Amino acid sequence: MCNWCSYAGADKAGTAQLRVPHNLSAIRVMCTGRVDPQFVLKAFREGADGVVILGCHLGDCHYKEQNYRALQRHRILLAMLRQLGIEEERCRLDFVSAAEGEGFARLVTGMVEAIKTLGPLDLPVHSHGLDQKI
Amino acid sequence: MRVGVYFCLCGPNIAEKIDSEAVRQAAERLPGFGYCRTVEFLCSAAGKSAMEKDVRENRPDRVVVAACSPRDHEETFRGVLARAGMNPFLMQMVNVREHIAWVTADREKATEKAIRHIGAAMRRVVLHEPLERREIDVCTDVLIVGAGPAGLKAALNFAEAGRKVCLVEKEPVLGGLPARYEAMFPDMECGPCVLETVLGDVLHGPHAERIEILTLSSMEDVVGYYGNYTVTIRQSPRYISPDLCIACGECIPVCPAVSGNPFNYDRNDKKAVDYAFQGGLPNLPFIDAEICLRTTRNEDCRLCREACLVEGAVVYEDSGKKVTRQVGAILIATGAGLYDCSRLPNLGYGRLPDVFTSLEFERILAANGPTGGAIRKADGNPPKRIAIVHCVGSLDARHKEYCSGICCETAFKFNRLVAHKLPGAEVTHFYKTFSVSGKRGYKLFGEAGARASTRFVRYDDIDRLDIRSDGSGGHHVVLNAPTAAPSVTESDMVVLCPALVPSEGTARMARMLEAATDRFGFLEELHGRMDSVRSKVRGIYMAGTCQAPMDTQKAVEQGLAASGAILAGLVPGRKLVIEPVTAVVDQERCSACRSCIPVCPYKAISFDSGKDSAVVNSVLCVGCGTCVSTCPSGAIKGNHFTDEQVFAEIEGVLS
């Protein structure tokens, strides 16, 4: 979650005392441009059933255009996840502004619901440790 | 390694939602646990001083603060650690309030999540490094490129504040475009008169000795970064000594070389040695090497030197100079030009006589212009009917989508000047829409509308306007309506008011300084609303129409704003603090692929061929971390957000 828009949006959801799933954990980075695909692979390896990368809306990036880089990397990452047998729905990239507390709560609640329908991530045995090889 | 945990209850905010005793007991079982303090209000004065004292006494290796959002109080608690003698970066905050207590209904689940997140912070914080803020010396002098109203007012501000300013201007005279206007809207003050006071101060005022003026000059090279630029400026020869010339003008009538005067858009001639226009400051003629027989034909003409009353004032040997200046910041105020009217061939510009752009008409109206202020057609007669076309190339996706916001007031200024100079002459305004906002904008618009000689004709698409010769020296302005018959307006003179576009100098500066431009070519702001005088490259500022179309008032305001921002950032005796949360290249691991360089919008990364490695300039780096995740060799470390630190946090929250 980027520091400037989406993390602030999540804070806003807190200030407004909206409900956010307790099984969602935020990792703060300064910018989604910092989100190395390895961070996502690491999360899946550590048992996450889904990962959402949240940045500023396109055009609003605090660092000019780095969320576009995140967008490009996310597309490549999805292709890789497919090869690992991980459904695309488990790794989303979305945008939340600092004002969108409600939007944040709705988005992550929806994401958690969607992943519940998919069920827990059951990584095929052959992909264990693949992230480290990568 | 001992981690001290400070758990803030935030009054009932966290206390009611999370079992702090359960948190403490869980934390005790985690590796690295040193101690845990539960505090009522950690950010209160009492809370902070208790924490400072506690840290001082207990000397933890690392600290975890479980409280509110780091966006609220990370800096607060870093300050507490610094005061307690501990490196402020050896701390990690857990956002218990916003991300757990306030959004989780179930107390048990909230407590469980808080424990996981505190555990994650403990795993992460042991990997934190004691980062140091660095301080570097800075030069507090400033370079300003462009001596229009924005650059001039900024220069005065710097000089008054005691700073040295180098003011670079490509023309032989100062003042920018308004110096050439007979009158300025909305109050019809004469342009040179308005600028006179400003220029007087710049040239001879109480702080003028701190302003170095380089006319006929342009920036050739720049190296360095915010606080420490070395700029190379090339000054073309003037061939007239500013120290000796008394501006008597004796050299001008004897000069045999004549050519069109670019300052009047070739509407009259000037001599090779001449003033740009009467009243231009500094009040000095110059020799135009593109006209002078000595430079164009290699002739040994010495007529101007022979006519000169002062020995040594005419310097044929002048070869210009190249100077270097040390500055801390660069202010770009390179102004704007007009959209090229020949891109709208239906308007007849360049093809029909007596079709002018707004800038050309400004000079025709000016008392120091080519006709001494008389409005005359090519045949020498005064026009009886003048058509003024607004929105030329504006509000049009095929040309420029934006409204320049100044053309309407300029057009109504023309209306008034025409009414004054040619009583009874008809003026027809062809417009798409009117933009006369602000507390004075209505004034000239209202006056024009009240004049019996004024007519308004609205058009929706400039392609429907057709300006043709009427066969007897005048024009027919034809408006082709899609459904009705074409309406024809007869006119003897047409004035086109084109969109403002960035000047060539602006594009040149953007390239040289690697400052981003928007899709129109204007310099891009750090933030369009909140920081419109800062570029995205730290140390490069902008003011006036190089940033966006605007009137003189706004340009001056931006000059003042930019000077304020620069003065606040570069203070004599104060060092520049460099935040340590930046990217760092491991030169041993760098494979010299250069992938990181284009992804940095702040131009903070360059390639050092001597070291065969990319290098990050920590003054310019803002710590976004994009290059870190771009580097295929893993050679770039993102301070305070290293792979290991983020991995540890991920492991923690998922444990």
Side-chain angles (χ1 to χ4, degrees):
Chain A
M1 222 184 259
C2 85
N3 180 60
W4 303 99
C5 292
S6 47
Y7 195 89
D11 280 359
K12 184 107 177 161
T15 317
Q17 313 230 348
L18 305 172
R19 291 282 85 88
V20 173
H22 79 284
N23 50 356
L24 175 96
S25 291
I27 304 285
R28 182 171 70 116
V29 287
M30 295 312 280
C31 179
T32 49
R34 176 66 186 96
V35 179
D36 192 314
Q38 292 186 83
F39 294 175
V40 177
L41 297 176
K42 172 81 177 171
F44 283 127
R45 205 168 90 90
E46 294 298 324
D49 297 310
V51 177
V52 58
I53 303 163
L54 295 178
C56 305
H57 284 281
L58 294 175
D60 291 345
C61 179
H62 187 81
Y63 302 105
K64 294 174 99 164
E65 71 247 346
Q66 309 300 42
N67 52 1
Y68 282 95
R69 312 251 178 232
L71 194 67
Q72 291 169 327
R73 284 184 195 139
H74 178 247
R75 287 194 182 154
I76 299 168
L77 180 60
L78 287 184
M80 188 192 285
L81 292 179
R82 246 191 325 266
Q83 291 175 16
L84 292 171
I86 299 174
E87 301 92 330
E88 281 190 14
E89 296 88 326
R90 294 188 189 271
C91 180
R92 278 181 63 180
L93 179 130
D94 222 314
F95 313 101
V96 171
S97 82
E100 291 169 340
E102 271 186 48
F104 168 77
R106 210 179 318 118
L107 194 149
V108 293
T109 307
M111 170 100 185
V112 168
E113 289 307 315
I115 288 168
K116 273 185 186 162
T117 22
L118 286 177
L121 175 65
D122 187 17
L123 273 182
V125 179
H126 69 263
S127 68
H128 283 181
L130 237 181
D131 62 312
Q132 284 183 326
K133 280 181 214 157
I134 292 162
Chain B
M1 195 170 276
R2 287 171 65 246
V3 182
V5 178
Y6 291 86
F7 190 88
C8 176
L9 296 172
C10 196
N13 284 306
I14 293 175
E16 278 182 5
K17 291 291 180 61
I18 287 163
D19 181 348
S20 57
E21 186 50 30
V23 168
R24 198 183 58 76
Q25 286 172 9
E28 273 174 10
R29 289 193 293 274
L30 294 171
F33 176 83
Y35 60 86
C36 178
R37 306 272 183 265
T38 304
V39 188
E40 188 73 15
F41 287 107
L42 196 58
C43 67
S44 68
K48 283 185 289 191
S49 68
M51 180 180 167
E52 183 186 329
K53 186 163 168 280
D54 198 62
V55 169
R56 207 182 282 282
E57 284 169 4
N58 284 288
R59 300 254 138 244
D61 298 305
R62 299 287 188 273
V63 163
V64 166
V65 175
C68 53
S69 173
R71 290 176 54 88
D72 275 1
H73 281 304
E74 191 169 53
E75 274 311 308
T76 308
F77 299 124
R78 277 183 183 167
V80 170
L81 292 193
R83 285 195 294 280
M86 189 172 163
N87 184 290
F89 291 92
L90 298 179
M91 175 195 75
Q92 176 71 6
M93 276 189 83
V94 183
N95 189 347
V96 177
R97 192 180 66 182
E98 276 86 345
H99 286 198
I100 305 175
W102 275 343
V103 295
T104 315
D106 185 300
R107 187 174 155 92
E108 223 168 88
K109 283 179 176 164
T111 303
E112 178 273 324
K113 184 172 175 181
I115 292 168
R116 265 193 294 123
H117 280 236
I118 290 168
M122 287 174 68
R123 288 184 198 226
R124 188 192 207 274
V125 80
V126 296
L127 300 169
H128 280 202
E129 290 164 301
L131 303 172
E132 297 288 347
R133 292 188 163 109
R134 275 199 309 130
E135 291 188 336
I136 57 163
D137 290 320
V138 291
C139 172
T140 58
D141 297 344
V142 183
L143 178 86
I144 302 176
V145 187
L152 289 169
K153 285 292 275 187
L156 280 179
N157 242 19
F158 290 123
E160 203 176 323
R163 307 300 176 79
K164 285 206 289 185
V165 185
C166 180
L167 182 57
V168 175
E169 170 57 52
K170 71 177 190 323
E171 304 284 3
V173 288
L174 308 177
L177 291 176
R180 303 167 192 195
Y181 298 170
E182 175 70 3
M184 291 171 75
F185 64 74
D187 294 321
M188 305 304 284
E189 299 155 283
C190 101
C193 314
V194 170
L195 284 165
E196 171 74 35
T197 51
V198 181
L199 284 168
D201 278 348
V202 167
L203 292 164
H204 319 292
H207 309 290
E209 81 278 2
R210 283 191 285 276
I211 304 175
E212 179 190 28
I213 298 166
L214 296 173
T215 52
L216 290 164
S217 298
S218 60
M219 212 171 113
E220 274 209 336
D221 189 36
V222 58
V223 288
Y225 45 86
Y226 182 46
N228 293 282
Y229 287 107
T230 303
V231 185
T232 309
I233 302 145
R234 165 87 195 160
Q235 186 171 40
S236 305
R238 180 180 271 268
Y239 304 105
I240 303 287
S241 163
D243 301 325
L244 296 175
C245 175
I246 56 165
C248 64
E250 290 292 330
C251 51
I252 300 166
V254 299
C255 177
V258 178
S259 181
N261 183 359
F263 298 94
N264 290 330
Y265 307 98
D266 292 346
R267 301 288 309 157
N268 69 340
D269 287 339
K270 74 185 258 299
K271 296 290 186 71
V273 57
D274 211 333
Y275 294 103
F277 46 85
Q278 285 301 321
L281 292 174
N283 187 21
L284 282 177
F286 71 105
I287 295 178
D288 189 335
E290 287 181 18
I291 313 174
C292 179
L293 302 179
R294 296 182 61 86
T295 40
T296 55
R297 291 201 216 149
N298 214 15
E299 285 180 15
D300 192 26
C301 173
R302 292 165 179 269
L303 292 171
C304 56
R305 185 185 269 180
E306 282 158 16
C308 180
L309 300 180
V310 185
E311 179 75 31
V314 178
V315 194
Y316 295 141
E317 300 72 27
D318 190 354
S319 55
K321 60 181 177 181
K322 202 180 243 191
V323 298
T324 58
R325 294 287 176 268
Q326 303 292 323
V327 294
I330 297 171
L331 173 57
I332 310 174
T334 40
L338 295 181
Y339 188 63
D340 179 5
C341 291
S342 64
R343 289 171 167 242
L344 297 121
N346 51 317
L347 302 183
Y349 179 73
R351 181 163 51 82
L352 299 175
D354 302 317
V355 178
F356 301 115
T357 67
S358 50
L359 279 179
E360 290 166 349
F361 199 57
E362 294 277 10
R363 292 307 294 151
I364 291 170
L365 293 167
N368 64 359
T371 54
I375 308 173
R376 293 290 177 269
K377 296 191 290 176
D379 64 10
N381 293 316
K384 294 193 181 72
R385 295 154 303 191
I386 297 179
I388 301 179
V389 185
H390 298 225
C391 315
V392 174
S394 302
L395 297 168
D396 191 330
R398 291 158 305 172
H399 301 283
K400 299 289 172 192
E401 283 105 317
Y402 53 83
C403 164
S404 298
I406 63 157
C407 330
C408 283
E409 282 188 81
T410 302
F412 297 128
K413 171 182 86 176
F414 291 160
N415 183 306
R416 172 156 149 171
L417 287 167
V418 169
H420 181 70
K421 287 174 185 279
L422 299 172
E426 283 174 22
V427 179
T428 307
H429 292 266
F430 290 87
Y431 69 99
K432 202 182 276 181
T433 187
F434 287 139
S435 167
V436 286
S437 62
K439 69 175 182 180
R440 307 282 286 145
Y442 70 95
K443 188 175 163 267
L444 293 168
F445 174 51
E447 282 180 20
R451 254 174 227 121
S453 53
T454 303
R455 238 167 41 95
F456 293 111
V457 178
R458 189 174 181 281
Y459 70 89
D460 58 355
D461 181 348
I462 198 134
D463 284 356
R464 295 221 170 96
L465 275 185
D466 210 353
I467 299 177
R468 304 172 191 155
S469 168
D470 68 356
S472 55
H475 315 102
H476 283 148
V477 184
V478 182
L479 178 58
N480 297 297
T483 49
S487 75
V488 179
T489 304
E490 298 193 349
S491 82
D492 312 315
M493 190 175 274
V494 179
V495 181
L496 307 176
C497 297
L500 279 196
V501 296
S503 67
E504 278 171 34
T506 300
R508 199 172 156 269
M509 291 303 294
R511 276 197 304 276
M512 193 180 294
L513 297 167
E514 299 190 70
T517 49
D518 61 25
R519 65 199 179 96
F520 303 117
F522 292 107
L523 294 173
E524 201 178 2
E525 320 82 356
L526 182 60
H527 191 283
R529 302 294 107 191
M530 294 295 151
D531 256 316
S532 66
V533 297
R534 278 179 225 268
S535 80
K536 290 189 172 168
V537 181
R538 202 176 176 201
I540 309 294
Y541 298 75
M542 58 183 118
T545 47
C546 59
Q547 183 251 326
M550 66 185 75
D551 66 10
T552 308
Q553 182 192 37
K554 278 195 199 144
V556 164
E557 283 167 2
Q558 280 206 327
L560 295 174
S563 57
I566 294 170
L567 287 171
L570 296 174
V571 180
R574 195 210 283 166
K575 295 191 175 206
L576 186 69
V577 178
I578 303 169
E579 290 298 324
V581 182
T582 57
V584 184
V585 181
D586 177 349
Q587 289 171 6
E588 294 298 306
R589 292 185 77 171
C590 176
S591 66
C593 73
R594 296 169 170 85
S595 306
C596 50
I597 295 170
V599 302
C600 178
Y602 304 95
K603 311 294 172 197
I605 313 178
S606 54
F607 191 76
D608 185 330
S609 29
K611 294 173 182 156
D612 200 32
S613 168
V615 280
V616 174
N617 181 327
S618 55
V619 179
L620 300 179
C621 176
V622 296
C624 68
T626 304
C627 60
V628 183
S629 42
T630 299
C631 178
S633 313
I636 310 182
K637 182 170 83 173
N639 274 346
H640 211 56
F641 289 90
T642 66
D643 287 352
E644 295 73 22
Q645 290 165 1
V646 176
F647 284 160
E649 193 178 348
I650 293 171
E651 284 168 18
V653 296
L654 293 168
S655 65

